[in-house]
Amino acid sequence: MSRWQPSSSAARSRNANRQRPLPSGYVSIRDILEGSIAVNRVVNVIGLVKDRRAPMQTSKSDWKSDLTIYDKSVEQDDDSLKVSIFRPESEMPQPDVGDVIVVISAKLQTYRGELSLLSHWSTVFHVYSASKIPRPPKSAKEALEAPSRPKDRPPEDKEHEYVAWLYHSVDKYALPDTDTFNIRVEQSRNVKEKFHTLNDVQDSQFCDIIVNVVKDPFGLMDKATLWVTDYTENEAFFKFSWDTTEVSEGRDGDPYGYTVAMNADSNNWPGPYGRRSMQVTCFGLHGEFIMKEVKAGQWVRLRNLQIKYGRNGNNLEGFLREDRNNAYGSGVPVDILATDDPENVDPRLKEAIRRKRDYEKVKKKQRMTFAANEGAKGNGGKRKAEDQGELKLNRKTRRAEKRAMALKRVEEQERESEAKLGLNELVKCESDDQPIFAVSFIVKPIPWTTTVEGQEVTLTLPFTCAKYRAHVRVVDFRPSKLVDFATWRKSAEYDLLSDCSGASDSELNEEQGTLDKYTGEKIWEWQFALLLEEANPKHKGEDDRFWAVVDNNEAQQLLNVDALDLRANPDDLDKLREQLFKLWGNLEECKQQEAQRQTMNQKRITANEPPPTSPIGPPNTNQAPAGKDEQESAVSNKPFACCIRQYGVQVPEKDAKKANAGEGKRWERAFGLFGTKICN
């Protein structure tokens, strides 16, 4: 008889009749499995270990292990609960079969279609060795093993007493013997890496993949089919194309297969084009799960996917069949992956999303320029003679030397100018080796001379892509309230990428007129603008001011603070106010005083009251024009050096003659602040 088997059926019956309530704060496994506990809630459970997987290293620093436990509430139904543990290997609990484990503060989750527990940094595990647990009413304290983390809270007497009662009252018929348990643990160490990207999959292979669902699944009888991609290319996949012109496959300069005629079934193909998508057929419960839970646009992980050639014998396809020999649970091998948690996202998912973004960029560019490239083919220029190249190089060298000398003189003049201006030392900007441009030069429209029908014509460009350094001071800002400097948008899958700058224009346009933008998780971003004025009196003129936009990335660099809900975080709003005071001095106070004055004046006008300082007699023209309020509202701040970029944005335009950016749109010049930081 193994050490965990009950002494007799009579003893089991007597123990079962004497039910003992759970310690305060604990829940039963039955309550969890029946849905009485809300998902994502943190719970405490006590159970016997019936299965365990050996710790395996993850893609990060943590290790992962899985336990399967059960308690008195599910002993008759052969049900159990899985516990997934992520932590360093040295802190990983490794109980034996029949040991009692106390789990404190684990998160209830739905994973692979089943309820399970997930550990996090605050989860506590305590293991009681089965061979040392005494019979009640004695305490199980002597069976408690040393904690894997010494700082964890030890169990109390009520927990020791319950462990002793649970172990000696619960049925242990479902527990494997020690040898079988140890064999399973050792087998779990021999898991081979089965993950592959689609460009590596081959015939007669079983693998795991992370893919994007291209189209909504299609159900047929007892199976479901769907098209997936990870934006890699496989020569054994079917080739999709948007162009109906038949051109030979494998053509140079056409990696996406735009010139290959589409199959009749691909007229409504949403992409990607080329050999980047694979059809997957799912059978039985897997197909039911796919039809119920999976939608186009989601990222999913498919495990143990069979790869083989389809009925046509030409293209590889995937097949997901029910595994009737799975010794460790019977969950659906389809995981819907979240894209809203950058800290815990699988790096392989992040790389797939990066490939998708790169593909979309190249696809858009290639589709716009493909026709032009075809027309220009065969018109390549001739190579120039080597002596001409050397002559050009010598000219470039001389020009570079002249520019270097001129730049040196400009730098000396700038240092003298900066000393006279008294620049703000708390504000720094990059590219300090670049010359300073006057604001009047930055905002001046750029003329462009070209030839139209044999005549020279000078046009004014709507904008130019250029960068400048300037000496300016802040004289106004938008929005008028600091609390509105941070705005929110809903999260998107590209937010996982470190170089993502938010939702694309197409995504934003698609959401106009719908409620989609108000759903999902909120992502807070900085979005404000500064009115900048020329700081050097010698350079001031009619156009010595311009608005500069500060986007989220540049605001993070400028303020050294991440965006957040400023209304809900007044302390952070105060910190923001202190940081901006270094940039613009008393500007905010002056704006507040001006707003108060305008409010008072509006009330006075509405009430037909005279100004509070109006003279009784004729006005005295010799009286000083500046009153006390006006003196208080004088803006006082220091000029600073900053980097400015000029660019163009598309705005709506009803006048077709002015629509120079496409139908219903025109280009408008804009300026943005970049490479500037407020120092502490």
Side-chain angles (χ1 to χ4, degrees), residues 52 54-55 65 67 89 92-96 99 127 145 185 189:
R52 174 168 68 89
S65 177
L67 304 178
E89 185 182 20
M92 188 71 69
Q94 299 190 39
D96 292 325
D99 287 352
V127 178
E145 297 183 357
V185 173
R189 300 181 190 274

Side-chain angles (χ1 to χ4, degrees), residues 130-184:
S131 61
K132 299 179 181 179
I133 299 177
R135 290 188 174 275
K138 291 184 178 181
S139 169
K141 184 176 182 179
E142 62 187 47
L144 179 63
E145 297 183 357
S148 57
R149 298 191 307 193
K151 295 183 179 180
D152 286 344
R153 176 186 74 81
E156 298 178 355
D157 291 340
K158 61 179 182 179
E159 292 156 319
H160 297 320
E161 295 171 0
Y162 183 83
V163 167
W165 174 85
L166 173 65
Y167 178 75
H168 288 284
S169 66
V170 71
D171 250 325
K172 303 180 182 66
Y173 74 94
L175 293 178
D177 58 58
T178 303
D179 291 338
T180 301
F181 179 86
N182 292 334
I183 289 173
R184 290 179 180 177

Side-chain angles (χ1 to χ4, degrees), residues 462-464 547-549 644-649 668-672:
F463 70 94
T464 57
W547 283 97
V549 176
I644 301 296
R645 65 186 181 96
Q646 181 183 164
Y647 58 98
V649 294
E668 186 173 282
R669 184 171 61 166
F671 297 95

Side-chain angles (χ1 to χ4, degrees), residues 209-272:
I209 60 174
I210 292 179
V211 288
N212 196 199
V213 180
V214 176
K215 299 180 69 175
D216 285 331
F218 175 76
L220 180 64
M221 299 293 289
D222 62 339
K223 59 185 177 182
T225 62
L226 69 160
W227 284 88
V228 298
T229 179
D230 67 356
Y231 298 90
T232 61
E233 191 168 20
N234 191 312
E235 288 299 319
F237 290 171
F238 180 80
K239 192 167 189 177
F240 289 92
S241 171
W242 63 270
D243 193 340
T244 57
T245 304
E246 182 70 32
V247 182
S248 62
E249 298 187 14
R251 183 169 183 162
D252 293 340
D254 185 22
Y256 296 130
Y258 292 147
T259 60
V260 181
M262 286 194 298
N263 183 279
D265 295 333
S266 62
N267 291 331
N268 297 321
W269 181 248

Side-chain angles (χ1 to χ4, degrees), residues 55-56 61-63 87-94 148 189:
M56 301 292 290
S61 60
D62 278 345
W63 289 61
R87 57 179 49 191
E89 185 182 20
S90 60
E91 301 177 359
M92 188 71 69
Q94 299 190 39
S148 57
R189 300 181 190 274

Side-chain angles (χ1 to χ4, degrees), residues 18-24 158 162 165:
R18 295 195 297 269
Q19 292 292 334
R20 185 186 184 100
L22 282 161
S24 177
K158 61 179 182 179
Y162 183 83
W165 174 85

